[in-house]
């Protein structure tokens, strides 16, 4: 900065108490330097004019010390009040409505001899507030005050990244992010609406008995599993009642992944048993393998990730009577083989897309709730963000007009 016209003056701290200083003013940046030279208070105070867009209020910041531009770093000639060195800044302060020193929050940090920072002592804070108020009060009486304000505005406007520009750009990014989230949720709602409006397909008629290929876990050869299928028209699942003799018997309910959030649910889910029992402890018709009743389910989101042989072990299955005990190896192998076989049979049906659409229609109302609530909440955030952005743009425009 290039300060000009040094002026010797005395700053009035309080009645009958003054301190000598030299004032210098930079017509290019609008900044003013007050170099205080008292016995108990020494150091430099920089007055930086700021603007209040849309208002006639004149504001200033007071920086403790001279150079560099970044106030957080150590500055040259930081004030010393008695033996306490002070770092920081305060403001913005309304120059035409300055509070008494007792109510002026001058802020600042005490720079100790080891370089650590601490809050300034109370007596130092009082003296700091007095000198800050005195500096600002003197600056307010400058005949070229308006010229300094305009010079400061021009100087700030010429910087590569002014605070107002940064604030406006941050608000634009925030608004863009909110709108991107709205588009995502709205896309889901549109997909759900398409499912809801799709014509209800004709449900398939199932034969009384199906013969399903499975892999014998003992011999490794392909066998035939007999099952009576029952279509559940409300959700597109099929309950298979397996009648494979003494080895495996019971019900398996197979359909799309149960917890899928997709408008058209994919994958395959196999639930051991049919409807829930009234007491909530299990399901009707839970399968029995080698004399052990089993409970649980398996969900595979990737419909192409399984075959009659893989995955070798199906997780999520436990004993109904002793869930804490592991399954015998042969029992685990048999139930895994049957689950894989039924999952393949459902996946490979010619009418599986019809069943998925039925499942999708069944879930539409439930799946609408979360994205609809999210859109409503995001619309509120969008309105608030738009208001903040409008204010930021007006502030930037007002600042630009002031510096013109």
């Amino acid at each position: 900065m290039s300060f000009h016209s040094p002026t010797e003056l005395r700053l009035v701290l309080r009645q009958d108490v003054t301190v000598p200083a030299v004032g210098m003013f930079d017509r290019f940046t609008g900044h003013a330097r007050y170099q205080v030279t008292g016995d108990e208070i020494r150091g430099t105070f920089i007055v930086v004019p700021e603007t209040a867009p849309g208002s006639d209020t004149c504001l200033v910041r007071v920086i403790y010390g001279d150079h560099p531009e970044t106030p957080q770093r150590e500055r040259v000639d930081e004030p010393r009040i008695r033996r306490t060195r002070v770092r920081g800044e305060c403001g913005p302060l309304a120059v035409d409505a300055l509070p008494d020193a007792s109510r002026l929050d001058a802020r600042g940090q005490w720079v100790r001899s080891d370089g650590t920072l601490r809050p300034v002592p109370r007596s130092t804070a009082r003296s700091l507030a007095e000198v800050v108020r005195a500096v600002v009060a003197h600056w307010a009486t400058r005949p070229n005050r308006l010229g300094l304000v305009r010079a400061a505005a021009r100087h700030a406007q010429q910087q590569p990244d002014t605070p107002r520009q940064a604030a406006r750009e941050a608000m634009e990014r925030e608004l863009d992010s909110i709108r991107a989230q709205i588009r995502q949720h709205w896309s889901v709602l549109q997909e759900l609406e398409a499912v809801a409006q799709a014509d209800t397909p004709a449900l398939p008629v199932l034969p009384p008995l199906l013969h399903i290929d499975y892999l014998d876990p003992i011999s490794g050869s392909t066998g035939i599993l007999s099952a009576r299928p029952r279509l559940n028209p409300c959700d597109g699942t099929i309950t298979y009642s397996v009648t494979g003799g003494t080895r495996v018997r019971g019900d398996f309910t197979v359909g799309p992944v149960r917890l899928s959030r997709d408008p058209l649910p994919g994958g395959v889910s196999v639930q051991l048993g049919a409807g829930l029992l009234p007491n909530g402890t299990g399901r009707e018709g839970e399968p029995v393998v080698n004399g052990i009743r089993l409970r649980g389910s398996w969900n595979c989101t990737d419909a192409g990730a399984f075959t009659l042989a893989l995955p070798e072990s199906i997780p999520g299955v436990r004993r109904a009577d002793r869930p804490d005990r592991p399954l015998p190896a042969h029992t685990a192998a048999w139930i895994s083989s049957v689950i894989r076989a039924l999952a393949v049979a459902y996946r490979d049906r010619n009418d599986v897309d019809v069943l998925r659409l039925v499942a999708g229609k069944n879930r539409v109302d439930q799946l609408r709730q979360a994205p609809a609530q999210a859109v409503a909440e995001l619309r509120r955030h969008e309105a608030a963000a738009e208001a903040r952005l409008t204010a930021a743009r007006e502030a930037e425009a007002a600042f630009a007009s002031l510096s013109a």
Side-chain angles (χ1 to χ4, degrees):
M1 287 183 286
S2 178
F3 290 99
H4 304 279
S5 304
T7 302
E8 294 186 1
L9 52 97
R10 296 196 71 86
L11 299 173
V12 179
L13 301 185
R14 54 188 179 275
Q15 187 176 9
D16 299 330
V17 178
T18 62
V19 64
V22 176
M24 291 171 281
F25 308 89
D26 189 338
R27 65 175 181 269
F28 299 110
T29 66
H31 296 185
R33 175 199 287 162
Y34 287 84
Q35 191 168 18
V36 180
T37 58
D39 293 332
E40 293 192 343
I41 302 176
R42 305 182 64 84
T44 298
F45 296 81
I46 304 294
V47 178
V48 180
E50 294 191 338
T51 59
S55 171
D56 294 331
T57 304
C58 181
L59 305 173
V60 296
R61 283 186 301 120
V62 180
I63 300 173
Y64 311 147
D66 195 8
H67 299 293
E69 290 292 338
T70 306
Q72 287 77 16
R73 294 168 52 188
E74 179 179 357
R75 301 177 70 89
V76 176
D77 198 25
E78 289 176 328
R80 292 180 180 272
I81 299 177
R82 290 171 286 277
R83 289 185 296 177
T84 302
R85 181 177 168 189
V86 179
R87 177 176 299 169
E89 65 175 63
C90 70
L93 301 172
V95 298
D96 296 318
L98 283 174
D100 293 337
S102 61
R103 294 185 291 110
L104 193 152
D105 182 13
R107 295 189 290 276
Q109 293 180 301
W110 170 25
V111 184
R112 301 180 62 180
S113 58
D114 60 359
T116 59
L117 301 177
R118 294 289 187 274
V120 294
R122 183 176 301 177
S123 60
T124 302
R126 286 197 299 268
S127 298
L128 179 62
E130 288 177 347
V131 72
V132 165
R133 190 186 189 285
V135 165
V136 176
H138 181 273
W139 184 92
T141 65
R142 291 292 301 172
N144 63 339
R145 188 176 93 174
L146 182 58
L148 293 173
V149 171
R150 288 176 173 169
R154 285 194 298 270
H155 174 71
Q157 189 71 14
Q158 292 165 1
Q159 302 310 304
D161 184 19
T162 67
R164 287 170 182 81
Q165 177 184 346
R168 187 256 304 161
E169 291 174 349
M171 292 174 191
E172 288 175 342
R173 290 191 296 271
E174 178 190 14
L175 188 57
D176 288 343
S177 174
I178 292 172
R179 287 173 173 168
Q181 294 176 65
I182 290 175
R183 287 194 296 271
Q184 291 175 353
H185 290 297
W186 192 252
S187 177
V188 172
L189 287 171
Q190 289 177 316
E191 292 177 8
L192 289 168
E193 184 62 23
V195 171
Q197 296 299 325
D199 294 336
T200 302
L203 296 176
V205 177
L206 303 182
L209 188 66
L210 289 175
H211 300 292
I212 300 169
D213 291 343
Y214 77 98
L215 194 65
D216 189 308
I218 306 302
S219 65
S221 60
T222 301
I224 301 296
L225 192 71
S226 298
R228 294 190 301 273
R230 182 174 72 256
L231 178 65
N232 302 307
C234 64
D235 60 7
T237 62
I238 297 176
T239 298
Y240 296 90
S241 294
V242 175
T243 58
T246 58
R247 180 76 71 178
V248 181
R249 65 181 186 276
D251 292 342
F252 297 79
T253 301
V254 187
V257 171
R258 292 183 301 127
L259 301 179
S260 172
R261 311 297 297 179
D262 297 329
L264 280 177
V268 176
S269 169
V270 181
Q271 177 73 50
L272 275 59
L276 286 170
L277 293 172
N279 60 10
T281 58
R283 290 182 171 270
E284 297 176 349
E286 288 175 332
V288 177
V289 178
N290 294 332
I292 301 175
R293 187 161 60 92
L294 302 178
R295 182 173 297 165
S297 62
W298 177 63
N299 288 278
C300 183
T301 57
D302 183 0
F306 54 85
T307 65
L308 291 179
L310 296 173
E312 184 176 348
S313 177
I314 298 294
V317 179
R318 62 189 184 279
R319 297 175 63 123
D321 58 341
R322 296 290 300 275
D324 56 325
R325 295 182 58 182
L327 291 179
H330 284 181
T331 301
W334 272 104
I335 195 65
S336 296
S337 179
V338 172
I339 288 174
R340 292 193 301 266
L342 295 175
V344 168
Y346 184 91
R347 178 195 65 190
D348 294 347
R349 290 183 62 89
N350 292 332
D351 53 13
V352 69
D353 289 339
V354 171
L355 300 178
R356 295 191 188 281
L357 179 57
V358 171
K361 282 180 167 293
N362 175 257
R363 304 176 187 182
V364 161
D365 289 340
Q366 177 186 357
L367 295 182
R368 276 183 180 137
Q369 296 178 12
Q373 291 172 356
V375 167
E377 181 66 20
L378 286 167
R379 289 294 188 197
R380 289 191 287 270
H381 291 314
E382 180 187 32
E386 285 177 333
R388 290 194 297 271
L389 179 58
T390 298
R393 285 172 173 166
E394 291 174 352
E396 198 173 15
F399 187 75
S401 66
L402 182 63
S403 63

